Amino acid sequence: MDDTANDIISLAPIEKLTLHDQVANQLRDLIIEGVLEPGSRIDETDLVDRLGVSRTPFREALRTLAAEGLLVIRPSKGSIVRKLKHDEVYSMLEVLAEIERLGGRLACERASPAELTELLNIHDRMMTLYEARDRLPYYKLNQLFHSRVAMASRNATLIEVQANIQSRLKRIRFVGNRKPEDWANAVADHEEMAAALRVREGSRLGELLATHLMRTWDRVKDSL
Amino acid sequence: MTVTPLAEQIATQLRRDILRGKLPPGAPVKERENAAELGVSRTPMREAIRILAKEGLVDLRPSRSPLVARPSLREVMDAIDVLTALEMLSGQLACRNATPKEIDGLRQIHNRMADIYDTADPLDLFEVDMSFHRAIARASHNALLAETHQAYLARLWRVRYLTASLRHNRSRVLGQHGAILEGLETRAVAQVTAGIGLQLEGLAKSVALVLEPDSDAVDVS
């Protein structure tokens, strides 16, 4: 599990990843950062050329991103970056809030001391990145924090549902930290979560996570 | 994946075979034999098996027949915790968002269940029962919630059927559904979630009675 943490801050030896994983990771970042805009067509020829890969791993990567809900593959018409509608995003956040509420409660009951330390460590690194206003690495650690809380619930179904919804919301949550005051508010939420986690106050952590995700809606709704 | 109506029909039949124990947990689902028995060709049979695999009812194995899933008690309890969260949220949102037409639809399902409760085949009754829960999820007006609820309900299909048969009790089941319905009509969130909570607590309590106790230890690989 520790390997994943390192991957996120790009310390993993790159040769460990398959070619298709590397392509998928690069394309995912381009989507998250909005270089490839929602609704825009994927220019396969151009990207294949710029990435210097052949079409087979490129198409495999597209399928991975489609399964994550970031792309829509249209047979014989090319792929487009998925554009989420207002009510789709709201629906996702509403369900994710409940799932993470349960996840937070169970995580406080079930996390091992090592998992707890690791979660707090991720939190501390997020705060350092916030001080430096280093947005993409902060964003990735934030996603990792939410995934790790879900994992600490030790509930396989919950981990699956959480991962599935979180991956579809990737682009929109990056947008949510664009305004300085929104980012500051999200950071304040996270400080409270870390405090609840430290003393294993499960219902409090669950409540904070749910509230945090519904506030995410306020942060992103205008940019949809 | 576009699903043909034939594959969906076959999937329904296979689901019922799993519930009736004709295809018990751990049993291989033989493509050719099942296709011959149902008088269909192997292509839609294969597609139906993929539908069941996606629902978690069968486990695919490379170049061998898939097996009927044999979830451990732990896996089932985990799924019930998640399903409870999803049904509670459905109830809350349905209180706010259900249209009179949707509530009327729920009333019709409830009445039908009352009509057939003493005489129906347990499987038919179970399907009507589950359609009540799915209709509440749809009445939440949260499309992702309805979709997710449907998917995870499908995974718990067999245990839910077995516990429902075990806990067959007209006044309890219809009483709980009636209370949920009344709560939706009067937009009383606490009444709705209390009713849903009772049903799922009942499910969680009786799972151990219907699941093979040694299933944690069984290696199906």
Side-chain angles (χ1 to χ4, degrees):
Chain A
M1 276 217 269
D2 287 337
D3 286 342
T4 329
N6 291 336
D7 282 351
I8 296 288
I9 50 172
S10 56
L11 290 176
I14 213 78
E15 58 274 15
K16 266 195 181 170
L17 296 173
T18 64
L19 189 57
H20 127 256
D21 282 334
Q22 294 182 55
V23 177
N25 288 350
Q26 290 217 30
L27 286 176
R28 195 182 296 109
D29 283 352
L30 292 174
I31 293 171
I32 292 167
E33 292 181 81
V35 178
L36 297 173
E37 281 176 40
S40 70
R41 211 174 145 271
I42 299 284
D43 188 341
E44 198 172 314
T45 318
D46 174 57
L47 284 166
V48 158
D49 196 46
R50 279 161 59 193
L51 291 164
V53 292
S54 63
R55 280 186 188 252
T56 310
F58 184 82
R59 290 202 171 146
E60 244 180 281
L62 291 185
R63 276 198 293 275
T64 300
L65 297 177
E68 290 175 17
L70 294 175
L71 283 181
V72 181
I73 296 175
R74 304 169 306 171
S76 73
K77 284 199 296 188
S79 309
I80 52 170
V81 180
R82 178 139 178 214
K83 189 171 187 170
L84 294 175
K85 293 191 206 87
H86 228 76
D87 60 335
E88 282 179 314
V89 173
Y90 186 79
S91 293
M92 286 179 195
L93 287 169
E94 209 168 39
V95 179
L96 192 60
E98 273 326 288
I99 291 296
E100 294 205 11
R101 183 199 300 278
L102 176 62
R105 185 165 66 69
L106 295 176
C108 284
E109 288 168 21
R110 300 178 182 170
S112 67
E115 280 173 318
L116 198 66
T117 308
E118 171 65 8
L119 273 165
L120 293 169
N121 179 265
I122 295 170
H123 171 77
D124 291 343
R125 276 150 59 204
M126 277 172 69
M127 294 304 112
T128 309
L129 289 165
Y130 174 65
E131 291 307 322
R133 301 295 189 274
D134 202 350
R135 211 164 133 228
L136 187 61
Y138 169 91
Y139 162 88
K140 287 188 177 180
L141 276 180
N142 177 37
Q143 299 271 300
L144 183 67
F145 179 83
H146 286 271
S147 306
R148 282 295 174 81
V149 170
M151 280 179 200
S153 79
R154 307 267 168 92
N155 178 321
T157 306
L158 189 146
I159 295 166
E160 184 181 293
V161 179
Q162 195 275 346
N164 187 352
I165 302 175
Q166 178 166 291
S167 75
R168 297 198 220 180
L169 285 169
K170 277 191 172 136
R171 163 70 190 148
I172 200 67
R173 281 170 86 179
F174 184 66
V175 171
N177 291 341
R178 195 164 48 193
K179 286 191 214 140
E181 67 271 26
D182 285 347
W183 194 0
N185 289 335
V187 163
D189 288 353
H190 272 274
E191 291 280 28
E192 285 192 70
M193 285 177 218
L197 195 58
R198 208 167 274 126
V199 293
R200 293 188 185 258
E201 246 184 86
S203 54
R204 169 127 187 90
L205 178 61
E207 187 57 39
L208 288 166
L209 281 161
T211 313
H212 175 67
L213 287 161
M214 291 326 288
R215 281 188 194 143
T216 300
W217 170 248
D218 296 323
R219 291 192 274 267
V220 301
K221 65 183 175 198
D222 296 332
S223 46
L224 284 164
Chain B
M1 185 168 76
T2 49
V3 177
T4 64
L6 181 58
E8 194 42 74
Q9 277 175 39
I10 300 169
T12 302
Q13 186 55 47
L14 290 175
R15 255 185 235 115
R16 295 180 71 123
D17 288 346
I18 291 172
L19 293 195
R20 285 200 199 281
K22 193 178 161 209
L23 289 170
V29 184
K30 294 195 174 113
E31 195 180 293
R32 192 183 327 191
E33 284 174 23
N34 280 286
E37 198 187 311
L38 294 172
V40 297
S41 68
R42 292 179 71 178
T43 308
M45 173 57 70
R46 209 170 294 143
E47 210 184 318
I49 288 173
R50 272 204 302 271
I51 295 172
L52 297 186
K54 224 176 139 209
E55 292 175 356
L57 292 182
V58 303
D59 296 323
L60 298 178
R61 299 183 300 170
S63 67
R64 294 166 75 186
S65 292
L67 298 177
V68 177
R70 182 174 212 144
S72 67
L73 181 59
R74 175 66 198 273
E75 285 168 327
V76 170
M77 294 305 286
D78 282 353
I80 291 174
D81 274 350
V82 172
L83 192 72
T84 303
L86 297 173
E87 290 213 358
M88 292 292 221
L89 180 62
S90 295
Q92 270 171 41
L93 297 178
C95 261
R96 194 169 72 207
N97 301 332
T99 63
K101 204 178 151 207
E102 282 165 335
I103 291 175
D104 192 49
L106 278 158
R107 165 80 51 204
Q108 282 175 30
I109 297 173
H110 179 64
N111 290 343
R112 178 164 152 64
M113 208 167 144
D115 287 345
I116 66 169
Y117 201 88
D118 297 316
T119 51
D121 174 285
L123 232 162
D124 292 335
L125 183 66
F126 173 73
E127 285 174 352
V128 177
D129 185 353
M130 290 304 106
S131 73
F132 185 79
H133 292 263
R134 283 205 299 249
I136 296 173
R138 281 197 304 274
S140 74
H141 289 236
N142 179 320
L144 178 75
L145 180 58
E147 185 191 304
T148 312
H149 173 261
Q150 162 118 6
Y152 289 93
L153 181 62
R155 277 193 205 189
L156 287 169
W157 209 238
R158 182 168 171 275
V159 277
R160 216 160 171 176
Y161 170 64
L162 294 175
T163 56
S165 311
L166 193 74
R167 305 175 78 243
H168 189 85
N169 179 326
R170 183 186 172 96
S171 63
R172 184 181 52 79
V173 175
L174 292 172
Q176 285 171 354
H177 279 192
I180 294 168
L181 188 54
E182 193 190 280
L184 288 170
E185 273 166 344
T186 57
R187 314 282 167 183
V189 177
Q191 184 175 342
V192 172
T193 51
I196 291 172
L198 273 177
Q199 294 225 299
L200 286 149
E201 274 165 35
L203 171 64
K205 277 188 200 138
S206 35
V207 164
L209 301 173
V210 299
L211 217 61
E212 301 68 17
D214 62 344
S215 60
D216 275 304
V218 173
D219 183 4
V220 292
S221 61

